Every structure is written in C-alpha cells, then in structure tokens.
Amino acid sequence: MSETKERAMILAMTTVGGDEEAQKLASELVSRRLAACASIAPNISSVYWWKGAIETSGERLVTIKTTREKIAAIEEFFKRNHPYELPELIFIECKASADYEAWVKESLIG
C-alpha cells in the first residue's frame, strides 16, 4: 500500500438546522469514538432542491475528522440519529500532517 493510502484520513460533512442539534450530533460522534473531532460552523445558508421546489434554510455545518474504518458506523449512526429525513453525509478522503493524522487514529481507539 502506498504512503498516500496509508496516511489518508476522512473528512466527513453534514448539516443540521440549529445549534443544539449540531452540538448533540458532534458530541455523540466524538463520545462514541466515531470522530476524533467534530467542528461546528454556525450560520450557513443552504439553497437546494427538495421535493420539487427550491428551498433556502439556515443551517450549521458539522465537519467530522475520522478514518475510512469508521465510515460504515457513521452511516449507521446517522440513519438512527440525524434529525433530517435525508441527511447530507459527504466523505472526502484527504491527507493531513502525519502528527494530526496520528492523533485522529489514536483518538478513535476505545
């Protein structure tokens, strides 16, 4: 396996409607060791198609730092715990500094 693949980590993203929902989701992901860190960006505006119409809503962006091995568990967690009927869940494979990536992996062991 190449060094790039060995060191690849996952950045996952989702949105929720409010601060309380974002905090609850982030806290649960970290406490269950599905995420090493979940950052919440307040006050984003989303414009999207939903059920045949263009919708606009204020949301919170939750950015989740994790590993490939946690993807299936995060998807299952979202099915049961995300407040949206169809939650946004995007996984991006990325490369972080070796020290940060080591911290992410260490944080997910439990």
Side-chain angles (χ1 to χ4, degrees):
M1 187 177 279
S2 72
E3 181 183 340
T4 301
K5 288 294 183 187
E6 288 173 13
R7 289 195 44 216
M9 61 176 273
I10 300 296
L11 185 65
M13 295 184 294
T14 193
T15 52
V16 294
D19 293 330
E20 189 174 312
E21 293 169 321
Q23 187 63 49
K24 181 178 179 184
L25 195 65
S27 295
E28 282 292 316
L29 287 164
V30 173
S31 69
R32 293 172 188 238
R33 295 194 185 268
L34 297 175
C37 173
S39 304
I40 301 166
N43 304 322
I44 65 168
S45 181
S46 296
V47 180
Y48 52 94
W49 280 102
W50 184 245
K51 298 185 178 183
I54 295 176
E55 300 285 337
T56 302
S57 61
E59 295 184 296
R60 308 305 179 265
L61 175 65
V62 182
T63 306
I64 304 153
K65 290 74 160 195
T66 192
T67 60
R68 249 186 258 111
E69 294 77 18
K70 300 291 183 174
I71 290 175
I74 291 171
E75 288 178 320
E76 191 59 36
F77 172 81
F78 271 50
K79 286 178 187 175
R80 286 190 240 119
N81 298 285
H82 198 286
Y84 286 0
E85 179 181 341
L86 177 61
E88 171 187 9
L89 183 54
I90 299 171
F91 295 104
I92 302 168
E93 189 170 77
C94 57
K95 187 173 179 180
S97 70
D99 290 343
Y100 187 82
E101 210 166 291
W103 171 79
V104 168
K105 289 176 182 178
E106 182 180 302
S107 297
L108 298 177
I109 297 169

